[in-house]
Amino acid sequence: MKIIWKGVFPAVTTKFTDNDELDFEAFDHNISAQLEAGVDGFILGGSLGEASVLSDEEKFALLKHTIEFVDGKVPVLLNIAEQTTKAAVTCAQKALEYGASGLMLLPPMRYKSDDDETIAFLTAVAKSTPLQIMIYNNPVDYKIEVTLDMFEQLAKYDNIEAIKESTRDVSNVTRLINRFGGRFKIMTGVDPIAMESLVMGADGWVAGLVDAFPKETVAIYRLIKAKRIDEALAIYRWFLPVLELDIHPKLVQYIKLAEVATGIGTENVRAPRLKIQGAERERVLKIINDALAVRPTLPEGSWGRVSEMHTA
């Protein structure tokens, strides 16, 4: 299924049973809520998906299940976060075999590759597959920046189509547009600066808190693209304290706690992560519950599988 790089793409959480196995029932419940809200694609096995603690068998079981469950409604992407080039290429090839629509691709894990090594890694994957690729550029968390000069080199590979812009510098959206025009589609990847990035010209939103608040996330995106900025801003201001949970080292636990609060998830995580407790738990729950207490009424047509709102 061809990916159109616009709209809201949830970086979905992976659900686990109390016995630490994949919980497909809970996963499907969350995916159904997101589809109802009108999201435009799903990304599996990202940071929020606890990729580092999933076995390859689990990762591809989740991919196969999601593709079957979504049944062509939206594209399904697999994240590649591997330590070796060989493993990354193998992952890309398996993703194609299983029917993924595309890939989100990180630079090498653990080893801090230099610019030439990073380019070699990313291009090796791009050359190994016909799948559409979004480069995930997150130097804050993963310590390797894909610079504008590096994207200039990557532009020769037609299947590298998009950038998940997570440098946390809103101005980088403008720099990318000024340098490359429309060559790369830009997907903002940091929830607390998503509106700013979209207003500056980002094409879409790879979102985290959408896992708990899908309708509100979709509404903000659609209202911005319909140039109904004041309406989007009102929802965004309400949402911001919750969106800031996305930039904490425990974002997985925090967002899963929000999913429980909104009735579309479970709190189970895989060790070494643990459920949050005590004062930390109370602090996060207060942020979530304060938002739920004044949850806004969304403008008609701003979310859902079918909308007449202009979102060009």
Side-chain angles (χ1 to χ4, degrees):
M1 183 177 186
K2 182 174 174 56
I3 302 168
I4 306 300
W5 299 104
K6 64 178 184 178
V8 174
F9 284 58
V12 297
T13 56
T14 301
K15 307 298 189 291
F16 299 105
T17 67
D18 293 341
N19 295 324
D20 197 34
E21 298 173 347
L22 294 180
D23 187 342
F24 290 113
E25 183 178 353
F27 181 82
D28 292 350
H29 181 57
N30 184 272
I31 294 297
S32 294
Q34 308 240 29
L35 288 170
E36 180 188 4
V39 301
D40 301 281
F42 292 109
I43 300 172
L44 306 177
S47 306
L48 264 177
E50 297 178 68
S52 63
V53 295
L54 294 178
S55 68
D56 285 348
E57 182 181 4
E58 288 174 321
K59 191 182 304 180
F60 290 107
L62 190 62
L63 176 61
K64 180 177 183 292
H65 175 86
T66 306
I67 290 169
E68 291 174 354
F69 185 79
V70 170
D71 192 27
K73 295 180 180 69
V74 298
V76 177
L77 291 76
L78 183 66
N79 181 54
I80 294 182
E82 298 291 342
Q83 298 178 60
T84 69
T85 304
K86 182 178 180 179
V89 167
T90 299
C91 187
Q93 292 170 343
K94 285 186 177 180
L96 177 65
E97 292 171 13
Y98 276 81
S101 296
L103 305 170
M104 183 168 76
L105 176 59
L106 277 157
M109 295 287 99
R110 294 193 180 182
Y111 174 65
K112 189 177 184 299
S113 54
D114 67 19
D115 290 1
D116 289 341
E117 291 169 327
T118 302
I119 290 292
F121 178 91
L122 299 174
T123 57
V125 176
K127 292 192 309 190
S128 75
T129 179
L131 289 175
Q132 297 168 262
I133 294 173
M134 172 172 60
I135 302 296
Y136 184 4
N137 190 21
N138 185 348
V140 176
D141 292 319
Y142 295 110
K143 311 308 177 188
I144 296 173
E145 181 173 5
V146 185
T147 65
L148 268 67
D149 287 345
M150 293 165 73
F151 278 119
E152 189 78 55
Q153 297 179 63
L154 294 170
K156 70 179 73 170
Y157 300 97
D158 291 341
N159 60 332
I160 298 179
E161 297 181 352
I163 299 166
K164 182 182 176 185
E165 166 48 41
S166 296
T167 63
R168 304 193 189 180
D169 179 356
V170 175
S171 299
N172 215 40
V173 174
T174 300
R175 293 187 189 99
L176 287 164
I177 294 170
N178 286 349
R179 179 79 168 262
F180 300 109
R183 168 60 186 86
F184 297 110
K185 297 300 182 183
I186 303 168
M187 308 290 284
T188 180
V190 182
D191 277 1
I193 56 170
M195 179 163 181
E196 293 87 340
S197 299
L198 289 165
V199 169
M200 295 307 292
D203 300 281
W205 182 357
V206 176
L209 267 302
V210 67
D211 292 334
F213 293 89
K215 293 176 183 177
E216 289 84 355
T217 307
V218 170
I220 289 170
Y221 173 81
R222 290 186 180 175
L223 289 165
I224 292 169
K225 292 304 178 180
K227 303 191 185 306
R228 293 164 59 177
I229 300 300
D230 289 346
E231 292 171 275
L233 185 56
I235 303 168
Y236 187 63
R237 284 174 173 163
W238 160 82
F239 206 4
L240 185 61
V242 179
L243 292 175
E244 288 178 330
L245 300 176
D246 182 60
I247 55 171
H248 191 277
K250 293 186 181 179
L251 78 163
V252 174
Q253 291 96 315
Y254 291 0
I255 291 175
K256 284 191 169 183
L257 193 59
E259 289 180 342
V260 173
T262 58
I264 57 172
T266 70
E267 201 180 341
N268 291 339
V269 290
R270 176 165 282 176
R273 288 183 176 87
L274 299 173
K275 298 176 185 178
I276 57 172
Q277 304 291 336
E280 181 183 24
R281 183 183 184 85
E282 293 306 311
R283 177 181 62 80
V284 175
L285 278 174
K286 184 177 188 308
I287 292 169
I288 297 165
N289 290 330
D290 283 354
L292 287 172
V294 289
R295 197 171 188 174
T297 300
L298 302 177
E300 184 176 352
S302 63
W303 62 272
R305 292 305 314 154
V306 179
S307 173
E308 296 179 357
M309 178 173 293
H310 175 64
T311 57

